[in-house]
Amino acid sequence: MTAYYIDAKTAADTGKKVAWITSSGPVEPLIAMDVIPVYPENHGTMIGASKMGVDLCEKAEAMGYSRDMCSYARADIACSPTNGGPIGGLPRPDMLVCCNNICGTVLKWYEIQARYYDVPLFILDTPVIHTTFSEAARTYVRHQVADYIVFLETCCQKKMDRDRMAEVGRLSIQEQKLWQSVLDTAVNRPAPMSAFDAFFHLALIVTLRGTQTAIDYYTLLLQEMRERIDAGIGAVPVERWHLLWDNLPVWYKTKWLSDTFASREACLVADTYTSAWCSSLQYMDETDFLTSMADGYSRIYLNLGVDQMADTVIGMIDHYGVQGLVMHSNRSCKPYSLGQYDIQKIVQKKRGIPTLIIEADMVDARNFSEAQIETRIDAFMEMLTP
Amino acid sequence: MIMDREAYSGHLDRILNHLNQMADSAKTDVTHSAKRVILSGSVCGFSNIYQIVESTSARIVADDFCSGLRYTQCMVPIESDMIPAIAGRYLDRGVCPAKHQGLTSRSDSLIQLAQKHRADGVIFLLLKFCDPHAFDYPWLKSQLDAAGIPAMLAEIEDQQASEGQLKTRIEAFVEML
Ligand code: SF4
């Protein structure tokens, strides 16, 4: 990751172009065009983890942005004029690529940055799939994928090498499969890794998807997890309960949350967040990556209707054999949090397991009350049954 | 938005007559020296805002609400093929800021509206938790500032505005215009 950020920050010297792109956006064509992708949301996680979120959010509020808006967006917008954050701000973009398959927030955020940096903005609009992905929606997104390639060719003033594109697509699919295998190791008992480990190892599938570096990293990680399984080493010292996490991590409190659950003999074996980076694998076609991108990028977890989200959650409950569901009601992320109370009800009805809702925010620590959350975790733990 | 079309168009005729009469008598009215303001923002779920603003020395000369001007903007050309014509209108009119229509289209049209109506100021009335408007606000405000048009922001929770406080703030704003 360090090498990646050094590469990105020195792009201007090496003559490479930099694109800012949303976390679940179509990065493979950028890699194929030799453009360095930079992820403001990944930057947001670093800001959160280094506990710089509150300060930057307050700066954004002083610029006129409401405190109710996504804290990734607030922190990033405030970083631009101040060069703030743990790495002194992101490298200046040459272009912006925004895919709204995760939220509408990114559209507004990227409009702001497109005005600020005065660079071209490409928007890939993926209609929300309330029930089914219609043929009209598919055609609409496919046309935009074609436009996207033209956009990149114009920005980079060179043609796309289709063979290279196919190769990057192949690597990307291979990585997503590897990532899925890594996450799947948590079905073992003891679980060799927890969701908190997944939050950490996620960085490369987000930022370096479609590169050999990521393949090597996840191959090694998978090997390590298999060794742990063979040796019977678990992620937590005593593993009595297995839980599922929903929503983004609370970046400035991951250690505290991980310790709090571990000390109560609970391991969060899986989560809906990190698995989103391989959630549409089934729609990706190795032999025709560009065409399959419309499905692959539209049919991800956050772009689905609540019923399908609940199905996914229930699928994970069964797959990982969990006894309880912990939902982070994230003040920042409306698309993730809005349907949670419905999903909670569906899960309770269909699986009858205890659920806990923790009200917090992924970056803005002003919305986290440790004492209150600890009390709620204790009450929840008492409800669990083997 | 919800009324029977036939009944509604009858009402519109009467309102139009009434407004024309008002416009005639306004020519002799002293309030023409009133401050001219525009309301801008999301769906307006707080209709008392009109009385509150007009209880000061200001008059509302236009609006830029999702449920106001932007709802009725642009005509569907009735002589053409209806489905594409309706679709065309949706694309042409000022869009809800949840959708993209260029990087400066909202600020450009707000400033044009203000200039056309010779507005002295703009009052933003935003619904709390309506992200698209909240994201646009700092940019719109900066562009109005640059155009020399003062603006203020009132963020209200649906139906729950504290009227007294809002009135005081609006009075102070209007006085300063
Ligand atoms: S609103 Fe949610 S999905 Fe969108 S950028 Fe913020 S955290 Fe990510």
Side-chain angles (χ1 to χ4, degrees):
Chain A
M1 285 302 289
T2 311
Y4 157 73
Y5 270 109
I6 289 173
D7 212 21
K9 298 263 299 184
T10 54
D13 308 328
T14 55
K16 282 196 178 172
K17 290 211 185 293
V18 170
W20 287 14
I21 179 166
T22 50
S23 64
S24 297
V27 66
E28 293 84 357
L30 291 176
I31 307 274
M33 293 293 281
D34 250 335
V35 175
I36 302 179
V38 166
Y39 296 81
E41 289 155 81
N42 178 254
H43 187 215
T45 68
M46 296 197 291
I47 291 168
S50 50
K51 302 191 170 45
M52 298 170 100
V54 173
D55 176 53
L56 286 165
C57 285
E58 282 171 349
K59 284 201 173 97
E61 287 150 31
M63 290 162 76
Y65 294 100
S66 158
R67 185 175 163 175
D68 300 320
M69 295 173 2
C70 169
S71 49
Y72 278 172
R74 272 180 291 152
D76 178 64
I77 290 167
C79 268
S80 292
T82 58
N83 288 331
I87 57 165
L90 289 177
R92 201 182 193 314
D94 295 292
M95 66 197 94
L96 302 171
V97 179
C98 170
C99 179
N100 62 3
N101 57 358
I102 47 173
C103 62
T105 290
V106 288
L107 170 66
K108 304 311 292 179
W109 175 3
Y110 277 59
E111 284 178 354
I112 289 165
Q113 296 298 35
R115 286 191 293 255
Y116 182 81
Y117 291 104
D118 192 18
V119 290
L121 164 65
F122 185 82
I123 298 160
L124 186 78
D125 180 28
T126 50
V128 176
I129 303 166
H130 294 288
T131 51
T132 50
F133 191 48
S134 71
E135 206 43 52
R138 180 174 289 117
T139 311
Y140 172 62
V141 181
R142 281 190 185 162
H143 279 301
Q144 293 177 72
V145 171
D147 291 346
Y148 179 34
I149 307 302
V150 174
F151 170 85
L152 292 180
E153 289 179 337
T154 313
C155 286
C156 301
Q157 289 173 320
K158 65 174 182 198
K159 279 269 162 222
M160 170 179 270
D161 175 345
R162 298 281 162 159
D163 294 336
R164 172 122 162 80
M165 180 64 235
E167 172 64 9
V168 173
R170 203 184 53 73
L171 290 176
S172 169
I173 291 177
Q174 200 184 331
E175 264 152 42
Q176 293 177 52
K177 285 184 183 156
L178 271 170
W179 180 237
Q180 182 70 66
S181 307
V182 168
L183 296 177
D184 279 344
T185 61
V187 300
N188 289 281
R189 298 292 177 262
M193 67 180 284
S194 73
F196 295 104
D197 299 312
F199 296 159
F200 176 80
H201 293 298
L202 174 74
L204 275 83
I205 193 90
V206 178
T207 55
L208 292 169
R209 199 160 67 246
T211 66
Q212 190 59 41
T213 318
I215 301 247
D216 297 345
Y217 182 85
Y218 290 116
T219 308
L220 222 69
L221 184 62
L222 184 58
Q223 201 182 322
E224 192 189 317
M225 290 306 138
R226 288 190 174 141
E227 283 162 19
R228 288 174 69 103
I229 294 168
D230 291 342
I233 305 171
V236 299
V238 186
E239 183 183 305
R240 180 158 177 234
W241 307 111
H242 303 97
L243 306 173
L244 178 68
W245 174 273
D246 180 51
N247 210 308
L248 275 75
V250 184
W251 291 111
Y252 48 91
K253 280 288 172 191
T254 42
K255 169 105 178 54
W256 182 83
L257 279 165
S258 152
D259 291 349
T260 303
F261 281 107
S263 67
R264 284 154 181 80
E265 303 183 347
C267 180
L268 289 144
V269 287
D271 69 280
T272 58
Y273 172 67
T274 57
S275 53
W277 275 269
C278 44
S279 65
S280 60
L281 243 185
Q282 52 179 314
Y283 310 115
M284 294 281 195
D285 180 358
E286 227 167 19
T287 59
D288 190 1
F289 187 81
L290 277 184
T291 311
S292 71
M293 262 172 62
D295 280 67
Y297 277 102
S298 297
R299 305 169 83 168
I300 64 158
Y301 184 71
L302 271 188
N303 206 36
L304 301 176
V306 167
D307 291 314
Q308 292 179 75
M309 278 178 153
D311 286 346
T312 310
V313 171
I314 286 171
M316 291 183 80
I317 289 173
D318 296 344
H319 182 61
Y320 292 97
V322 300
Q323 293 121 340
L325 169 63
V326 183
M327 305 177 106
H328 166 205
S329 173
N330 182 352
R331 201 182 160 82
S332 267
C333 187
K334 281 102 188 161
Y336 220 139
S337 309
L338 189 69
Q340 272 178 322
Y341 286 88
D342 290 324
I343 295 172
Q344 181 192 33
K345 275 197 207 117
I346 298 173
V347 165
Q348 281 170 346
K349 194 168 147 221
K350 294 198 172 164
R351 288 297 176 269
I353 58 170
T355 54
L356 165 67
I357 294 196
I358 294 175
E359 305 221 356
D361 185 283
M362 68 221 173
V363 162
D364 190 343
R366 289 172 295 177
N367 297 320
F368 191 91
S369 154
E370 199 169 287
Q372 206 178 2
I373 289 171
E374 192 163 9
T375 314
R376 301 202 60 186
I377 291 176
D378 279 327
F380 167 71
M381 296 305 300
E382 275 172 24
M383 281 160 32
L384 296 176
T385 48
Chain B
M1 291 177 194
I2 49 173
M3 205 183 236
D4 174 73
R5 289 303 185 238
E6 298 277 327
Y8 185 59
S9 83
H11 286 306
L12 276 183
D13 281 338
R14 282 191 289 281
I15 288 171
L16 195 59
N17 272 334
H18 178 66
L19 287 175
N20 282 333
Q21 281 164 17
M22 275 175 75
D24 286 343
S25 57
K27 285 178 186 140
T28 55
D29 188 352
V30 284
T31 51
H32 69 269
S33 63
K35 296 296 174 204
R36 305 168 64 85
V37 302
I38 288 180
L39 300 181
S40 173
S42 31
V43 167
C44 179
F46 180 64
S47 50
N48 290 3
I49 186 72
Y50 293 91
Q51 279 113 40
I52 292 177
V53 172
E54 299 218 334
S55 72
T56 70
S57 63
R59 290 295 168 266
I60 298 166
V61 293
D63 82 80
D64 168 44
F65 280 140
C66 296
S67 50
L69 177 82
R70 269 183 289 113
Y71 184 79
T72 51
Q73 215 173 28
C74 289
M75 299 289 276
V76 177
I78 35 177
E79 66 278 8
S80 55
D81 192 357
M82 281 320 282
I83 300 293
I86 292 172
R89 180 199 163 237
Y90 276 110
L91 291 172
D92 287 342
R93 74 186 179 122
V95 296
C96 159
K99 306 286 170 219
H100 179 77
Q101 195 181 50
L103 293 172
T104 61
S105 64
R106 284 206 68 211
S107 51
D108 294 345
S109 63
L110 183 58
I111 287 169
Q112 264 171 29
L113 188 73
Q115 283 164 350
K116 179 173 156 204
H117 291 276
R118 292 173 284 114
D120 299 303
V122 173
I123 298 175
F124 286 97
L125 191 73
L126 303 190
L127 274 181
K128 203 164 163 53
F129 300 115
C130 178
D131 275 6
H133 278 281
F135 270 109
D136 274 357
Y137 166 72
W139 165 257
L140 294 179
K141 166 94 172 98
S142 74
Q143 294 309 102
L144 287 171
D145 284 350
I149 305 164
M152 70 163 272
L153 168 67
E155 204 190 30
I156 58 165
E157 296 210 24
D158 199 13
Q159 314 286 356
Q160 286 182 0
S162 121
E163 288 193 22
Q165 212 187 356
L166 190 60
K167 187 165 180 212
T168 316
R169 288 192 54 215
I170 290 176
E171 272 167 359
F173 175 70
V174 171
E175 252 163 56
M176 167 229 110
L177 291 178

